[in-house]
Amino acid sequence: MSSAVVLAYSGGLDTSIILKWLQDTYGCEVVTFTADLGQGEELEPARAKAAQFGVKEIFVDDLREEFVRDYVFPMFRANALYEGTYLLGTSIARPLIAKRQIEIAKQVGADAVCHGATGKGNDQVRFELGYYGLKPDVKVIAPWREWDLNSRTKLLAYADEAGIPVAQSKRQDAPYSTDANLLHISYEGNALEDPWVEYSEDMFTRSVSPENAPDKPTYIEVEFEKGDPVAIDGVKYSPADMLAKLNQLGGDNGIGRLDIVESRFVGMKSRGVYETPGGTILLAVRRALETICLDRGEMHYKDQMMPQYAELIYNGFWFSPEREMMQAAIDTCSESVTGTVRAKLYKGNVIVVGRKAANTLYDDRLSTFEEDGGAYDQKDAAGFIKLQALRLRTLKVAREKK
């Protein structure tokens, strides 16, 4: 039996049922933790609802700045994409929630933590790897793997019996489930489970469709310091405000929608539809700046690391030593990524049209097709090519002897 458990609590129906189930099943003190990660919902009702259940210790924390500064921006320094497309909006939020739950558990003396992730998805793995990585002896309670409330009917019956208010809209299956934070919003399940069926346009909340986006492009200039964005059009922003502003610019121009089938860590394929307007802009403009600030070797080595780095985050290994090793290398590279990128936002597209940096590696004296004043001797290329061809020539001669 647990003496106290820290529950990741949204205030929604599912986690309210979990709260009551913990009280009934474990007879323990429940401490609720609700995180503001920029999901766009009013969180004070979660506090009031927890109090109605007799919860004495209620935490509602605004983590938006920490989320973007310490999780989103470091991930974007790696240009991370899972399976070449997914910007990891759900994945990157879980380590912070897990970290804060463990901090609260230590603060209040709780010996257990609880999450509301199902036994079929990735989030159970992400939460629990975070918990164990930060507090190896913690007890983890995962109701969806323990209880017999395995249908909507049973959940609603339990809620009714326990006196948990259920809105009429919640008594029918939702057309899809969503997860939101300042980086993205995801849509999965039910109406989206057939990967051949197109999503419904009225589903989206953060972007207009590219077809309905303005006919006139929006130009922006994004300034970076040491790999992170700090200003748009000369206006400085905090990390969270920066991402919010990029979201607004991207959403207004139909940017950041993605419909994919991804490989879950637990083994099955899953279809997800995402809106990540600000992240889509950030990835494009940041990479453009790297092209003039990073050496070819740095860029190419980062590109080799990126798929493994992205997979570590997707699978829940944010607190692993290998992710931290990669992060150290990525952050060292980013020390040189300072400058400005100009982009055109137009009907779902981010089109880079300019980039500049004080420490640029681009030298027009070397790259010009005109007279370069002796900066580059074209005769040197002959020896370079011969040395590069040496192994190919040797191989061809040797194998023709057979």
Side-chain angles (χ1 to χ4, degrees), residues 62-348:
D62 184 348
L63 301 179
R64 288 174 294 178
E65 291 294 345
E66 182 180 0
F67 175 53
V68 180
R69 182 189 66 237
D70 296 343
Y71 293 82
V72 174
F73 281 0
M75 180 179 73
F76 270 81
R77 289 177 214 142
N79 303 324
L81 289 170
Y82 179 67
E83 296 187 331
T85 55
Y86 174 41
L87 283 163
L88 297 161
T90 296
S91 317
I92 195 58
R94 299 326 187 206
L96 176 54
I97 295 172
K99 179 178 83 77
R100 186 66 185 122
Q101 273 185 275
I102 294 298
E103 289 172 348
I104 292 170
K106 291 177 179 178
Q107 179 181 334
V108 303
D111 62 350
V113 289
C114 178
H115 62 75
T118 72
K120 253 191 169 180
N122 295 309
D123 279 343
Q124 59 180 333
V125 183
R126 295 166 182 156
F127 281 127
E128 293 178 39
L129 290 179
Y131 299 151
Y132 290 129
L134 296 169
K135 195 175 188 299
D137 62 344
V138 72
K139 176 178 174 57
V140 175
I141 300 173
W144 284 96
R145 301 201 302 257
E146 296 183 28
W147 64 20
D148 62 356
L149 304 177
N150 52 12
S151 70
R152 196 75 183 162
T153 301
K154 288 183 178 180
L155 281 171
L156 292 172
Y158 184 90
D160 290 339
E161 186 178 334
I164 300 170
V166 180
Q168 190 59 40
S169 61
K170 296 290 185 180
R171 292 189 178 275
Q172 283 80 40
D173 274 346
Y176 39 77
S177 65
T178 64
D179 176 77
N181 58 51
L182 197 50
L183 178 56
H184 90 155
I185 184 167
S186 66
Y187 308 90
E188 290 183 314
N190 292 357
L192 297 172
E193 286 182 354
D194 184 343
W196 182 249
V197 175
E198 186 176 359
Y199 52 73
S200 172
E201 176 60 35
D202 61 9
M203 176 176 72
F204 296 102
T205 60
R206 296 193 177 182
S207 62
V208 301
S209 69
E211 298 90 334
N212 292 326
D215 293 328
K216 183 180 178 182
T218 300
Y219 283 85
I220 61 170
E221 292 187 6
V222 184
E223 296 174 40
F224 288 82
E225 289 180 6
K226 296 183 177 181
D228 295 339
V230 294
I232 300 173
D233 296 332
V235 179
K236 297 277 187 181
Y237 293 94
S238 71
D241 288 343
M242 166 63 67
L243 188 51
K245 180 63 176 177
L246 288 172
N247 280 337
Q248 177 252 307
L249 289 164
D252 288 349
N253 286 279
I255 290 165
R257 295 184 177 186
L258 182 67
D259 181 346
I260 60 173
V261 173
E262 66 200 63
S263 303
R264 285 185 181 173
F265 191 26
V266 292
M268 76 279 287
K269 296 283 189 178
S270 172
R271 194 244 189 123
V273 179
Y274 300 96
E275 285 181 279
T276 318
T280 302
I281 296 172
L282 179 56
L283 180 70
V285 296
R286 197 191 173 287
R287 180 140 191 134
L289 186 58
E290 284 188 340
T291 64
I292 62 171
C293 292
L294 294 185
D295 171 72
R296 178 183 67 186
E298 290 176 306
M299 288 185 63
H300 292 187
Y301 193 66
K302 270 191 68 190
D303 285 347
Q304 290 175 41
M305 283 198 299
M306 185 278 284
Q308 185 178 1
Y309 178 95
E311 188 168 298
L312 286 171
I313 294 176
Y314 185 85
N315 291 347
F317 287 94
W318 177 263
F319 297 109
S320 68
E322 62 269 36
R323 200 281 308 174
E324 292 172 353
M325 288 168 61
M326 289 184 190
Q327 193 72 57
I330 290 161
D331 292 350
T332 298
C333 270
S334 294
E335 290 288 319
S336 302
V337 183
T338 296
T340 304
V341 176
R342 186 170 67 251
K344 178 167 61 174
L345 312 179
Y346 183 66
K347 291 190 177 294

